[in-house]
């Protein structure tokens, strides 16, 4: 009996029927000849209610349900979640499904409605887009099943207290891994870079086939073999590629619910994977007032797992970043010339000028690429038509800050520092493009 009351819920149809019966009995006080009709209807409703209870609770049928979660979720991406339901009743059931999502999504009205025939199995799919790394706790999967009578619903609970970690965007990693090694680069705005001279390592001499560069013909080997032979080259290998992530307070700024730090983390994961596939050494570290989360650039098989776990635990610490400490650490620990991808943000020229001497000093020993962000909110604001004097003033200020970002780019390039000014959502693809450009030009 306790189980019955805990898992039974009255449906709206029950309250509608009872409302009509009550109204009928009130009418019977006026028209006494109707009292017998409504008494008969009342007993019929009671009988249907009993039959409904027997069908849902006393028969051997049940609803089987399961929430199927991936091992981990990808931060900033749409992650598929699947629910499997099977009807073991001997009749068609109507289902109202309520999934208790993690509190981070702030969704309290998530639900699905469906019907299942006897013995039928269905899969229900929906997607979730997490915007914070960490552990997400799912509550119960609640399924309310009702028979064709529809006066009661029986509640089933499945998958209580499931937890799944949210990692940096490994879905982007798979996507851009394919793009970087195919001819589909043009679809994403990646430009082809003409190689200047031979900035590649010699690999082997092979027979000439149509399409080979005739400038690579090896005439001595051709004379010996009496057929055209060409030199084959490959990209220079084992070059250290470091992603340096500023985790100071400037990287806490959110765009589309994802912080700049998380955009940088996702890009670091992707570019590290591509660098390893290109036979370079990939490493990373983060800084603010100290240097932390260091992964030394290597080319071992476990490197990506090490970088992934390090990025998972990376968080903003809300202090001002110390670029002088960054310079000292790089000078002490990076003896080989390396490609340094520095993810940070500058909003004004004053902010850049405070750090410019340290960036110049780093760029003398290494190939430094400073990557910072366009303020897309200001870009949208500057394109809106002004309606009054105040809006004209606000739009002018927005355009000033946008122009100042361009001045920052010019100032860095003037001192020989490579730069990427990008929208947050385009960060990964622009970073890949820059890396491939540097490799093609043999700048490192």
């Amino acid at each position: 009996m306790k189980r019955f009351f805990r898992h039974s819920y009255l449906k709206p149809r029950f309250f509608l029927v009872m409302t009509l019966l009550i109204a009928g009995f009130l009418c019977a006080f006026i028209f006494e000849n109707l009292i017998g009709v409504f008494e008969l209807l009342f007993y019929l409703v009671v009988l249907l209610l009993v039959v409904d209870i027997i069908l849902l609770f006393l028969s051997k049928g049940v609803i089987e349900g399961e929430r199927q979660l991936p091992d981990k979720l990808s931060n900033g991406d749409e992650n598929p979640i699947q629910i499997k339901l099977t009807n073991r009743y001997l009749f068609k059931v109507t289902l109202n499904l309520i999934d208790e999502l993690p509190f981070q999504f702030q969704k309290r009205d998530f639900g699905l409605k469906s019907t299942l025939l006897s013995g039928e199995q269905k899969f229900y799919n929906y997607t979730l887009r997490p915007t914070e790394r960490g552990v997400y706790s799912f509550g119960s999967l609640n399924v309310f099943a009702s028979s064709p009578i529809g006066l009661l619903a029986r509640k089933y609970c499945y998958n209580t207290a499931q937890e799944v970690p949210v990692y940096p965007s490994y879905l982007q990693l798979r996507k851009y891994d394919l793009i970087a090694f195919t001819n589909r680069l043009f679809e994403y705005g990646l430009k082809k870079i003409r190689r200047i001279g031979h900035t590649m390592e010699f690999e082997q001499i092979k027979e000439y086939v149509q399409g080979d560069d005739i400038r690579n013909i090896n005439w001595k080997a051709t004379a010996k073999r009496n057929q055209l032979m060409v030199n084959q080259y490959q990209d220079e290998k084992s070059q250290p590629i470091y992603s340096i992530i500023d985790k100071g307070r400037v990287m806490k700024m959110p765009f589309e619910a994802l912080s700049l730090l998380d955009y940088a983390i996702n890009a670091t994961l992707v570019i590290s994977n591509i660098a390893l596939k290109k036979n370079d050494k990939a490493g990373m570290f983060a800084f603010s007032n100290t240097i932390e989360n260091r992964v030394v650039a290597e080319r071992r098989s476990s490197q990506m797992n090490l970088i992934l776990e390090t990025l998972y635990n990376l968080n903003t610490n809300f202090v001002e970043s110390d670029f002088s400490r960054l310079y000292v650490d790089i000078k002490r620990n990076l003896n080989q010339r390396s490609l340094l991808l520095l993810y940070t943000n500058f909003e004004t020229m004053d902010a850049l000028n405070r750090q410019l001497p340290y960036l110049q000093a780093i760029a003398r020993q290494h190939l430094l690429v400073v990557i910072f962000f366009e303020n897309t909110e200001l870009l949208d604001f500057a394109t809106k038509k002004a309606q009054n004097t105040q809006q004209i003033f606000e739009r002018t200020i927005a355009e000033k800050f946008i122009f100042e970002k361009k001045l920052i780019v010019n100032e860095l390039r003037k001192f020989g520092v490579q730069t990427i000014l990008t929208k947050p959502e385009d960060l990964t693809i622009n970073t890949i493009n820059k890396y491939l450009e540097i490799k093609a030009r043999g700048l490192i």
Side-chain angles (χ1 to χ4, degrees):
M1 185 61 67
K2 184 178 180 181
R3 173 171 164 265
F4 167 74
F5 285 110
R6 182 184 299 172
H7 295 281
S8 62
Y9 291 83
L10 298 174
K11 298 278 288 183
R13 184 179 295 179
F14 173 84
F15 294 103
L16 177 61
V17 170
M18 294 305 297
T19 300
L20 294 175
L21 282 176
I22 292 172
F25 279 114
L26 291 175
C27 292
F29 281 103
I30 302 174
F31 306 100
E32 294 183 0
N33 56 335
L34 295 178
I35 187 68
V37 175
F38 287 107
E39 285 181 352
L40 181 62
L41 290 175
F42 173 76
Y43 291 123
L44 178 61
V45 171
V46 172
L47 178 62
L48 290 174
L49 186 60
V50 172
V51 173
D52 211 2
I53 293 172
I54 293 172
L55 290 175
L56 291 174
F57 291 90
L58 301 181
S59 65
K60 294 183 179 180
V62 293
I63 298 294
E64 296 176 354
E66 180 185 7
R67 182 202 297 121
Q68 297 175 345
L69 294 175
D71 294 334
K72 54 183 178 290
L73 299 180
S74 178
N75 192 28
D77 298 317
E78 295 291 344
N79 296 266
I81 309 296
Q82 188 174 77
I83 294 173
K84 181 177 73 172
L85 294 179
T86 306
N87 178 17
R88 299 300 182 190
Y89 284 108
L90 299 177
F91 51 85
K92 176 183 177 181
V93 295
T94 301
L95 301 177
N96 185 16
L97 187 151
I98 300 176
D99 199 0
E100 297 178 1
L101 303 181
F103 71 90
Q104 288 93 337
F105 296 106
Q106 292 298 303
K107 291 184 179 179
R108 298 292 180 265
D109 56 350
F110 178 82
L112 298 171
K113 292 184 179 180
S114 182
T115 58
L116 279 179
L117 300 175
S118 177
E120 185 180 8
Q121 183 180 85
K122 279 188 179 180
F123 292 89
Y124 304 87
N125 298 285
Y126 64 93
T127 59
L128 294 175
R129 181 179 180 266
T131 55
E132 299 177 8
R133 284 164 289 116
V135 177
Y136 283 49
S137 299
F138 285 77
S140 300
L141 173 62
N142 302 293
V143 180
F144 297 85
S146 56
S147 71
I149 297 174
L151 297 178
L152 283 178
R154 180 177 177 179
K155 179 183 177 182
Y156 294 89
C157 289
Y158 304 100
N159 300 108
T160 56
Q162 280 185 294
E163 292 187 344
V164 58
V166 174
Y167 274 79
S169 182
Y170 62 88
L171 293 181
Q172 283 191 29
L173 185 148
R174 297 171 186 171
K175 171 185 173 183
Y176 292 117
D177 189 11
L178 177 63
I179 292 171
F181 292 91
T182 64
N183 293 323
R184 297 174 55 233
L185 299 176
F186 65 91
E187 298 178 14
Y188 294 86
L190 296 179
K191 56 182 180 291
K192 293 182 178 179
I193 305 300
R194 182 172 65 88
R195 296 185 182 275
I196 303 174
H198 286 301
T199 59
M200 308 174 72
E201 292 180 345
F202 174 79
E203 184 179 16
Q204 64 178 349
I205 300 174
K206 70 178 189 71
E207 294 181 5
Y208 174 85
V209 296
Q210 188 174 359
D212 285 339
D213 191 344
I214 60 174
R215 293 174 298 179
N216 294 334
I217 294 177
N218 188 317
W219 295 108
K220 289 185 178 180
T222 298
K224 290 180 180 179
R225 296 289 299 271
N226 200 27
Q227 63 178 7
L228 286 176
M229 306 293 291
V230 295
N231 295 332
Q232 184 174 347
Y233 297 91
Q234 63 182 358
D235 288 334
E236 295 182 11
K237 298 179 179 180
S238 299
Q239 297 171 315
I241 313 297
Y242 276 95
S243 296
I244 306 172
I245 301 176
D246 182 351
K247 62 176 187 177
R249 58 172 173 254
V250 296
M251 297 293 282
K252 188 62 179 175
M253 187 182 298
F255 290 92
E256 295 185 2
L258 211 62
S259 70
L260 295 181
L261 178 66
D262 281 308
Y263 281 109
I265 286 172
N266 292 343
T268 296
L269 184 65
V270 173
I271 200 65
S272 298
N273 181 59
I274 291 177
L276 291 172
K277 294 290 180 66
K278 291 281 189 180
N279 295 310
D280 284 329
K281 299 177 182 178
M284 62 150 292
F285 56 91
F287 78 101
S288 54
N289 56 338
T290 58
I291 309 298
E292 298 173 329
N293 309 99
R294 188 190 304 274
V295 177
V296 178
E298 297 287 349
R299 208 177 68 194
R300 53 193 172 191
S301 58
S302 61
Q303 189 74 352
M304 277 308 300
N305 286 333
L306 182 58
I307 291 174
L308 180 61
E309 292 297 330
T310 304
L311 292 173
Y312 174 73
N313 295 307
L314 199 62
N315 291 303
T316 310
N317 58 8
F318 302 101
V319 299
E320 186 173 358
S321 300
D322 188 347
F323 281 76
S324 63
R325 186 179 293 271
L326 173 66
Y327 164 68
V328 171
D329 184 87
I330 291 175
K331 188 174 180 60
R332 287 178 179 174
N333 296 296
L334 300 185
N335 298 321
Q336 182 181 354
R337 178 174 167 82
S338 308
L339 171 60
L340 307 181
L341 302 172
L342 173 59
Y343 300 92
T344 185
N345 197 33
F346 296 112
E347 291 292 338
T348 64
M349 283 295 297
D350 288 338
L352 171 67
N353 290 331
R354 288 197 299 270
Q355 316 302 344
L356 189 56
Y358 307 113
L359 298 178
Q360 288 179 258
I362 295 171
R364 292 191 192 102
Q365 303 297 324
H366 303 275
L367 180 55
L368 176 63
V369 180
V370 176
I371 306 168
F372 61 110
F373 300 88
E374 293 181 1
N375 192 322
T376 54
E377 297 294 330
L378 286 179
L379 292 173
D380 294 339
F381 190 81
T383 57
K384 292 180 180 179
K385 187 175 181 180
Q387 302 293 335
N388 51 51
T389 305
Q390 181 177 349
Q391 291 180 0
I392 293 173
F393 176 77
E394 292 172 346
R395 182 176 173 179
T396 303
I397 296 298
E399 291 175 347
K400 174 184 177 297
F401 280 107
I402 293 170
F403 180 71
E404 198 154 2
K405 288 275 189 178
K406 297 177 181 178
L407 290 179
I408 292 173
V409 172
N410 292 334
E411 187 71 11
L412 286 169
R413 288 177 178 172
K414 185 171 70 175
F415 291 99
V417 179
Q418 300 269 347
T419 60
I420 300 177
L421 175 60
T422 177
K423 295 179 180 178
E425 60 268 23
D426 296 333
L427 171 64
T428 301
I429 199 70
N430 288 334
T431 305
I432 295 173
N433 192 23
K434 194 67 175 179
Y435 167 71
L436 296 179
E437 176 187 341
I438 288 170
K439 291 288 290 184
R441 290 180 174 171
L443 298 179
I444 182 173

